[in-house]
Amino acid sequence: VLLSQFEPLYRAFTTGMAEVPLSFGVLLLGTALSDRIERTDPGASRRLALAALVCAATKNEGLFFVAAAFLVAALSLFARKGFAARAAAILALPAALVVAAHRLIRGSLPLRDFDFTLLARPADLAPRIGQSLEAVVRGTPAAAWVGLAALAVLVAAGRATPAGSALLALAACGLAAYLF
C-alpha cells in the first residue's frame, strides 16, 4: 500500500506502463516464493511458475527478478535436498521458455537496460554509485521520504521470519538493480 503512494514509479511518461504488470508479477513472485519456502500452501508452486512467466515476459528487469528469486530459493532451501532443486526448476523453466520464444520471434537483442561495462572498470564503479545515490536523494520528493520512513518502521517492527527475509532480499535485489 505504501509503495502505491510513490507516484513517480507509475507515471507513464517516465517509466512506461509495463511497470504496473511487472510490479504485480514481482509481488506474486515474492509471496509465492515465501509460501513455497514455508510450505504453507500447496498451490505456491503453480503461483511461483506463473510469477516467473509474468516477470520474464513483461520486462528485461523481470528476468533479473526471476534470477534473484532463484538465488534466494537456492540459499533458503539449501538445507532441504531435492526441495531446492524443485523450486529452482519451477522458477527457471517458465523464464527459459519466455527467453527461448523471444529469441525465436525477435532474435538476439541486447539488454539495453543494464550497463555491465562498469563491472570491468571497478575504479569507475564507486563514483558512479555515489552519483546514482545523489541523484536519487535529490530527485525524491519529501512525501516519498515520509513513505519510506513509514515502510522502514513497519519492517523494523515486524517479526523476523525466513519468508519475510526472502521477500526483503528480493526487494533489496530490485532496488540494487534500479540503482545500478
Side-chain angles (χ1 to χ4, degrees):
V1 169
L2 286 171
L3 189 60
S4 70
Q5 301 305 310
F6 299 133
E7 180 262 341
L9 290 176
Y10 301 106
R11 289 189 306 215
F13 64 88
T14 58
T15 60
M17 294 309 292
E19 300 297 331
V20 176
L22 180 64
S23 64
F24 165 73
V26 171
L27 177 63
L28 183 61
L29 183 71
T31 56
L33 179 63
S34 169
D35 291 344
R36 180 79 171 126
I37 289 170
E38 289 189 343
R39 298 183 188 186
T40 58
D41 186 354
S45 295
R46 290 186 297 278
R47 287 192 309 278
L48 193 57
L50 175 65
L53 188 69
V54 168
C55 286
T58 304
K59 291 188 77 174
N60 289 338
E61 293 94 324
L63 198 54
F64 170 81
F65 280 111
V66 172
F70 181 88
L71 290 174
V72 169
L75 293 173
S76 299
L77 303 171
F78 186 69
R80 296 185 237 164
K81 293 182 181 175
F83 189 67
R86 286 192 300 275
I90 289 167
L91 283 163
L93 290 177
L97 288 173
V98 168
V99 170
H102 188 266
R103 293 247 173 174
L104 284 172
I105 295 168
R106 307 235 6 225
S108 179
L109 297 175
L111 286 176
R112 296 178 307 207
D113 297 331
F114 297 103
D115 181 10
F116 293 108
T117 58
L118 285 173
L119 297 177
R121 300 182 316 269
D124 295 343
L125 189 58
R128 183 72 180 262
I129 290 173
Q131 290 170 352
S132 294
L133 291 175
E134 181 183 329
V136 167
V137 169
R138 190 175 53 249
T140 302
W145 287 114
V146 172
L148 286 172
L151 183 60
V153 167
L154 287 174
V155 169
R159 183 175 51 93
T161 64
S165 297
L167 287 171
L168 288 175
L170 197 57
C173 287
L175 179 61
Y178 277 101
L179 288 177
F180 183 69

